[in-house]
Amino acid sequence: MSAFGNIMLQVRSKDTLDQGDRGWLKARHHFVVSADGNPANGPLGALVVWNDDEIAPGTGFGRHSHADMEIVTYVRQGVVTHEDSAGNIGRTVAGDVQVMSAGTGISHSEHNYSADALKVFQIWLLPRHRGGTPLWGSRRFPKADRAGRLIPLASGDPKNTEALPIRADARVLGATLLAGTSLTHAPGWVPAHLSRACRGRDPRQRATGCVR
């Protein structure tokens, strides 16, 4: 995950994460989602939610609404079925990604109609601008394409033409690694408007959104 702000990297160990259990939904919250949650796990730049969700067979999230949020869903196990008020209907399988730009407002549902548990990462990002036409999209990302290397899955960088587009100053990257292997990532992309804002600043200063 690449985002832009004063803090670029933060390790959040398992024991610091808030948890939720509704029976049909078990979740770990990498970011605080309620008033009584861990205040240390606040937003990082545009990144405000990262939930590790497990949804029981035959259940799911009923119709509900969002606005002014970019929502990326990475399916780790199973199949998620999406339906929304814009008429979009789609199934996204394990290893693949769906994105929804809520824009001015959209209602949707997400269900697990299979006989096995559905496991997903739900990632919410603040858009760079409010409003806009609501959009939804999904695409396959074959494991061979990301073997041993990071590739953009969803991106606010228009140069990442193979990624699902989002309206946020962030990129969601994915890789497939064999046991015992590793890779190195050096963040390099800075949105043009943030790059302009950072030019000419005293290097001892740190401005929100500037990457040093």
Side-chain angles (χ1 to χ4, degrees):
M1 180 75 208
S2 296
F4 299 90
N6 288 332
I7 301 174
M8 295 303 297
L9 179 64
Q10 187 178 107
V11 176
R12 297 187 174 180
S13 58
K14 183 177 179 180
D15 60 335
T16 71
L17 306 182
D18 298 321
Q19 300 182 49
D21 188 344
R22 301 184 182 179
W24 64 274
L25 170 66
K26 294 180 174 60
R28 290 186 182 274
H29 307 296
H30 294 252
F31 291 79
V32 61
V33 297
S34 63
D36 59 350
N38 184 353
N41 291 340
L44 294 177
L47 180 59
V48 295
V49 169
W50 187 310
N51 290 345
D52 185 351
D53 291 342
E54 180 177 327
I55 301 165
T59 69
F61 298 94
R63 187 63 68 98
H64 59 286
S65 299
H66 298 280
D68 295 320
M69 192 64 67
E70 303 295 296
I71 301 175
V72 181
T73 304
Y74 178 84
V75 182
R76 298 166 50 225
Q77 173 184 300
V79 182
V80 62
T81 299
H82 168 99
E83 298 184 47
D84 64 44
S85 55
N88 297 302
I89 301 175
R91 297 172 73 254
T92 305
V93 304
D96 296 341
V97 180
Q98 69 173 23
V99 300
M100 186 174 74
S101 294
T104 54
I106 189 171
S107 62
H108 77 130
S109 63
E110 292 182 329
H111 284 93
N112 175 16
Y113 291 126
S114 72
D116 300 313
L118 167 65
K119 296 181 179 181
V120 301
F121 287 139
Q122 286 266 358
I123 302 165
W124 293 21
L125 298 148
L126 296 174
R128 63 175 65 95
H129 301 296
R130 295 174 64 88
T133 302
L135 298 172
W136 175 85
S138 177
R139 64 154 295 186
R140 298 183 63 246
F141 288 93
K143 290 183 178 180
D145 292 352
R146 58 179 187 254
R149 68 188 183 102
L150 285 165
I151 64 168
L153 305 177
S155 177
D157 182 355
K159 294 180 181 178
N160 295 147
T161 56
E162 297 302 312
L164 287 162
I166 53 176
R167 303 166 181 165
D169 294 328
R171 298 190 301 164
V172 179
L173 310 176
T176 301
L177 298 178
L178 296 175
T181 64
S182 63
L183 57 79
T184 300
H185 172 57
W189 171 64
V190 183
H193 67 284
L194 293 182
S195 177
R196 289 192 297 270
C198 293
R199 290 174 189 160
R201 290 188 180 273
D202 186 315
R204 292 169 296 181
Q205 296 177 326
R206 299 193 67 189
T208 300
C210 294
V211 177
R212 298 297 184 188

